[in-house]
Amino acid sequence: MESLFGRALLERAIALVYGKQPIVLYQTPDGSASLAEVPGSKFATVYKVLPTINFCACESFRGWVLQQKRQPTCKHVLATKLALVLNRIQIESIPEDKLIVLKKQLVEDSLKRRVSSGH
């Protein structure tokens, strides 16, 4: 894994998986749709991640993954994938309409960060 993601990214993702704040996976009762919330480095910052795709609204994802193409993903996406595999994720079942609200927030967060960065 280190050869795929690099030591620094892998270590930061593992730190999130085993950190004080849990990674929470919200999913519909039938399991057909989900969204994860991953704690950020800054106090009270949480990033929403869609576990089935490689996307995060964080600055690192936008800069290192999308713009500079220097890494394949960010620590939040990688931590979500690792937490799922290692069974270190808190799963909460929520109705589909509430999941849609969370996904809408992900899009809004992404747009806000893009506008605030001048892009």
Side-chain angles (χ1 to χ4, degrees):
M1 288 192 67
E2 189 177 315
S3 64
L4 289 173
F5 299 106
R7 177 176 290 206
L9 177 60
L10 185 57
E11 286 177 355
R12 289 193 305 269
I14 290 170
L16 288 174
V17 172
Y18 290 96
K20 293 178 184 174
Q21 300 286 13
I23 296 173
V24 180
L25 180 70
Y26 297 101
Q27 65 181 17
T28 55
D30 65 0
S32 65
S34 61
L35 177 138
E37 285 190 341
V38 182
S41 302
K42 297 175 186 163
F43 179 74
T45 303
V46 176
Y47 293 97
K48 291 170 179 59
V49 172
L50 298 172
T52 56
I53 64 171
N54 183 29
F55 181 79
C56 182
C58 75
E59 293 174 23
S60 292
F61 192 90
R62 184 178 57 253
W64 291 95
V65 179
L66 297 178
Q67 293 172 348
Q68 296 181 28
K69 298 180 183 5
R70 293 183 135 207
Q71 58 190 44
T73 193
C74 70
K75 67 182 178 182
H76 308 107
V77 173
L78 183 55
T80 300
K81 304 272 187 197
L82 291 172
L84 284 164
V85 170
L86 298 170
N87 199 26
R88 299 229 3 123
I89 199 157
Q90 180 180 321
I91 299 175
E92 293 190 22
S93 181
I94 62 171
E96 189 172 352
D97 60 331
K98 289 190 178 183
L99 185 63
I100 289 170
V101 170
L102 289 175
K103 287 182 176 184
K104 182 181 175 200
Q105 288 173 349
L106 168 67
V107 172
E108 289 171 354
D109 289 349
S110 178
L111 292 173
K112 281 181 200 171
R113 287 188 176 91
R114 184 172 170 84
V115 169
S116 68
S117 71
H119 292 97

